Amino acid sequence: MIPRSSLPRAVPRVLRPQCSKRPNNNRTLASVKSGGFNYETGEVNGVKFASRDIPGPTTQLAVVARAGTRFQVYPGFSEGLEKFAFKSTQKRSSLRITREAELLGAELFSYHSRENLVVGAKFLREDLPYFTELLGEVVSKTKFLRHELDEEVIPIIKLGQKHILGNTAEMAVNSAHAVAFHRGLGTALHPTSSVPITKYLYHDDLKTFSQAAYAKPNFAVVANGTGHDELSKWIGEFFNDSPTAPPKDFPPIETNPSKYYGGEERIAHDRGNNMIIAFPGSGAYTGGHYNAAIAVLSSLLGGQSYIKWSPGFSLLARATAAQTQAHVSTRNISYSDAGLLTIAMGGNARDIREASMAIVEILKAISGGDIAKDDITKAKANAKFRTLSAGENTGTGLELTGAGLVQSGKASQLHGIADAIDGVTEDAVKKAAGSLLEGKATVSTVGDLFVLPFAEEIGLHV
């Protein structure tokens, strides 16, 4: 058991009965335009931060760094930096961090996306000082010990590589990004088994990369469930040791604008069948590349149903109703300066082939105006709901807000996105569909290539 004297700040309170007054949880949620769902932003000692004081007894706090696979300087560095979160620091061993978090009943998490590395914690509201201090240590005082890399980090990465080998859906997503963007956003989210990560992953280089990733211009701190002034106070105390600029003797983090290419890739596989048809999509709202018409078009194409016992209103759901062994879904994947509108299909190869044939015809119908006004109305409502629902989710909101602060100095505010979707006209949706057909598509196919079609066979230009 950890001695009381060794537990910092807020930890000892778990060893005695609680008598503090609990927050009132009977408050109602605010409307979108009232600001209740929006973040209040600020900066202290060069560290950008945002908070959203959601009523409740718990808080979620995270550091969002510009260190996803798009920005890694060598293969596997984003994965390695993620896995080193909450390992030994100059003040605490990894075991001590684990035990103290358990005593406080908290959850620790870390993950990375193509653009961001997110390291955070969920905990009781009154424990904000301790976890702000802990995240400050992770950012600036992680030791990056060689034995932790060799014995704990690399083995976990290699297990993940084995998982990807049999995951045809993830292979298709990685392939689509690589074909669409080449480098940068085209880098696989997780290194595949053919990537020689041990050639690049050294503890000293990871430590130097962390100094670039966690330099003050490259990360932001975001919280849900705490007051703005209180968060500012603790960030000012515990994030002073973060470097003010990336190290000069290390390859710089590339921030070149994304460029869409398009094309086709086919990968034979006997574990499943997946096909992705993609087009240039809408970027993030904070990045200046947002296109609300793409969000509405995504809902209009659809494929998946959100209503139980109903195939849904979307055009692809109706067009592929006979292909019962194929799952179809449309999604716009947004990034800071680009987006990828994907139509993903999985299941029986012959059903996927039949379903893919309908996509081009549906896009032609939309661009030609052969679409009911009622369908546009439903698509706008669905797009607005999905956007607001995602923003209301505290986990999604943390990354979107942190990324916006780092990339453009602006937090993602839900009322602006909702207003943009409300303003989409029928002509804007027709124009968006037409622009997709005029440009180059991205087609990635994994599975039984004897049955699955080429892009040319279904009428796509690559």
Side-chain angles (χ1 to χ4, degrees), residues 300 313 315 318 365-366 369-379 426 430:
L300 183 62
F313 72 91
L315 303 184
R318 296 195 295 238
I366 296 173
D370 187 16
I371 181 68
K373 186 177 180 180
D374 188 49
D375 287 334
I376 297 287
T377 302
K378 293 177 182 178
E426 185 175 345
K430 295 177 185 177

Side-chain angles (χ1 to χ4, degrees), residues 16 50 88 98 104 207 226 239 250 260 262 304 389 395 411 443 450:
R16 63 179 182 268
S88 299
T98 300
L104 293 173
K207 184 174 183 178
T226 188
F239 280 82
F250 197 70
Y260 177 85
Q304 69 276 42
S389 179
V443 180
F450 180 76

Side-chain angles (χ1 to χ4, degrees), residues 97-110:
I97 291 172
T98 300
R99 292 294 179 262
E100 289 176 356
E102 289 174 342
L103 283 171
L104 293 173
E107 297 179 15
L108 305 178
F109 61 86
S110 64

